[in-house]
């Protein structure tokens, strides 16, 4: 059964009555801009090492609405934060994440590559991040390459349930992935937690694809090269939200503001919220 209600006249009427529907994108400047969630990609990854406490603390200081984290699993079953499926790029070690024990991963330096002042930053665990940040900032959880880690969906669900985070949380926990089958499974395991699908594939933006995603997803999150006004409208018509990535310039952020997306996922939170 569809997760989303089929759109009815009520939603159409509410869209027509929405103040935002009555102003053009050109008018949405300065203080009148649509409210957009500011998502700090891998932490404030432009300024601090990605997927580390240093980066997430900075994102909180910069008043991000969410931190985005990449989740994988160690050889001995610990859920850890790292983007690549090997540790080579972002640590002083080598090898596949899933071939290393948590003790081995924990001993790596995940900060120095970004600058000496970050030397010694460790790879954090998922549980550590939930306990440190839940309630302070939203957490956009990406299951990275879940096909490499059989059963990771059940494990993530269990960790969230232990903390009562499987209930509606004003969308302060969202789970997303490029792996659509994994997200279908996640939606069944945690039906009240918002689910996102990630894609950089233009073929996933067709009406048929979007309708299929709307059966289990609450967010459609494409890279910004695929975003058009029409796509944003289609996603909204299917009662999903749209978040786009990865913003690394002011121009890209401004483009997404103009497109009226719901979330901007950026390495530089200050491009989205100029208070910083
Ligand atoms: O949240 C969107 C973004 O993280 C997807 O790409 O490769 O940075 O994980 P990637
Ligand atoms: Ca990610």
């Amino acid at each position: 059964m569809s997760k989303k209600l089929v759109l009815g006249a009520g939603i159409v009427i509410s869209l027509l009555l929405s103040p935002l529907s009555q102003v053009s994108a050109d008018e949405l400047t300065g203080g009148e801009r649509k409210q957009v969630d500011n998502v700090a990609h891998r932490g404030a990854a432009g300024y601090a090492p990605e997927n580390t406490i240093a980066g997430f603390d900075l994102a909180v200081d910069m008043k991000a609405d969410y931190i985005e984290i990449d989740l994988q699993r160690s050889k001995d079953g610990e859920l850890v934060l790292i983007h690549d499926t090997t540790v080579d790029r972002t640590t002083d070690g080598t090898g596949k994440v899933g071939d290393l024990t948590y003790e081995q991963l924990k001993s790596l330096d995940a900060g120095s590559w970004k600058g000496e002042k970050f030397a010694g930053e460790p790879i954090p665990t998922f549980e550590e991040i939930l306990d440190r940040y839940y309630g302070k900032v939203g957490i956009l959880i990406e299951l990275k390459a879940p096909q490499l880690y059989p059963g990771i969906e059940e494990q993530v669900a269990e960790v969230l349930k232990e903390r009562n985070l499987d209930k509606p949380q004003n969308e302060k926990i969202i789970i997303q992935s490029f792996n659509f089958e994994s997200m279908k499974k996640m939606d069944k395991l945690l039906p009240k937690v918002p689910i996102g699908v990630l894609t950089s594939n233009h073929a996933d933006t067709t009406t048929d694809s979007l309708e299929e995603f709307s059966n289990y997803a609450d967010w459609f999150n494409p890279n910004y090269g695929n975003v058009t006004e029409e796509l944003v409208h289609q996603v909204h018509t299917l009662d999903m939200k749209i978040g786009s990535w990865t913003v690394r310039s002011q121009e890209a952020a401004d483009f997404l503001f103009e497109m009226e997306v719901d979330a901007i996922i950026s390495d530089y939170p200050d491009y989205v919220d100029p208070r910083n």
Side-chain angles (χ1 to χ4, degrees):
M1 192 178 107
S2 166
K3 185 177 185 183
K4 295 293 177 191
L5 295 174
V6 175
L7 277 181
I11 291 175
V12 174
I13 289 166
S14 72
L15 282 171
L16 289 172
L17 292 178
S18 159
L20 285 175
S21 70
Q22 294 165 22
V23 289
S24 71
D26 289 345
E27 290 170 299
L28 290 172
T29 54
E32 292 174 50
R33 267 178 173 170
K34 174 185 169 176
Q35 166 61 35
V36 168
D37 284 327
N38 185 0
V39 183
H41 183 238
R42 310 181 198 170
Y47 300 112
E50 62 189 57
N51 284 302
T52 66
I53 298 281
F56 299 131
D57 279 357
L58 181 59
V60 172
D61 287 349
M62 295 180 84
K63 302 182 181 62
D65 298 304
Y66 286 82
I67 53 173
E68 190 255 2
I69 68 175
D70 295 297
L71 212 55
Q72 298 189 62
R73 191 168 67 195
S74 70
K75 183 179 182 181
D76 50 350
E78 188 74 43
L79 296 171
V80 291
L81 271 62
I82 186 164
H83 178 272
D84 298 2
T85 54
T86 72
V87 299
D88 302 22
R89 179 178 61 88
T90 56
T91 78
D92 56 348
T94 55
K96 292 182 185 169
V97 175
D99 287 345
L100 298 167
T101 64
Y102 175 54
E103 277 305 305
Q104 289 172 314
L105 290 169
K106 197 171 71 166
S107 71
L108 300 178
D109 175 355
S112 286
W113 71 278
K114 190 73 178 173
E116 262 319 296
K117 67 176 175 174
F118 300 113
E121 274 293 324
I123 293 176
T125 68
F126 181 42
E127 298 199 36
E128 186 182 355
I129 292 301
L130 290 176
D131 294 340
R132 187 179 177 99
Y133 296 106
Y134 185 74
K136 287 187 187 157
V137 65
I139 307 177
L140 174 58
I141 302 163
E142 180 182 347
L143 301 198
K144 183 58 81 185
Q147 64 279 8
L148 298 180
Y149 310 105
I152 193 170
E153 294 86 0
E154 285 84 352
Q155 196 176 350
V156 168
E158 204 47 48
V159 170
L160 292 174
K161 280 181 185 172
E162 281 165 10
R163 288 164 175 76
N164 272 321
L165 298 179
D166 57 321
K167 311 286 189 312
Q169 303 288 339
N170 296 324
E171 300 214 353
K172 284 303 188 183
I173 295 276
I174 303 170
I175 304 177
Q176 64 173 1
S177 185
F178 287 96
N179 184 319
F180 307 147
E181 290 308 313
S182 174
M183 290 303 93
K184 278 187 206 170
K185 189 172 174 183
M186 211 69 247
D187 178 51
K188 287 202 168 69
L189 288 165
L190 297 176
K192 293 179 179 162
V193 173
I195 296 296
V197 290
L198 283 164
T199 185
S200 51
N201 187 350
H202 185 69
D204 291 328
T205 65
T206 63
T207 303
D208 284 352
S209 299
L210 294 172
E211 278 176 2
E212 160 65 12
F213 294 139
S214 73
N215 289 326
Y216 57 90
D218 307 89
W219 286 82
F220 177 72
N221 294 345
N223 75 331
Y224 71 82
N226 281 312
V227 174
T228 61
E229 280 182 35
E230 192 194 347
L231 178 67
V232 173
H233 176 73
Q234 275 187 298
V235 170
H236 287 162
T237 301
L238 288 162
D239 204 19
M240 292 187 288
K241 290 185 174 181
I242 179 165
S244 189
W245 47 276
T246 298
V247 165
R248 298 189 172 103
S249 70
Q250 189 61 60
E251 292 70 29
D254 290 344
F255 167 72
L256 290 174
F257 273 117
E258 201 179 316
M259 293 296 107
E260 297 190 44
V261 299
D262 302 290
I264 298 179
I265 302 167
S266 174
D267 284 353
Y268 300 88
D270 47 324
Y271 291 162
V272 182
D273 181 349
R275 284 179 299 176
N276 297 290

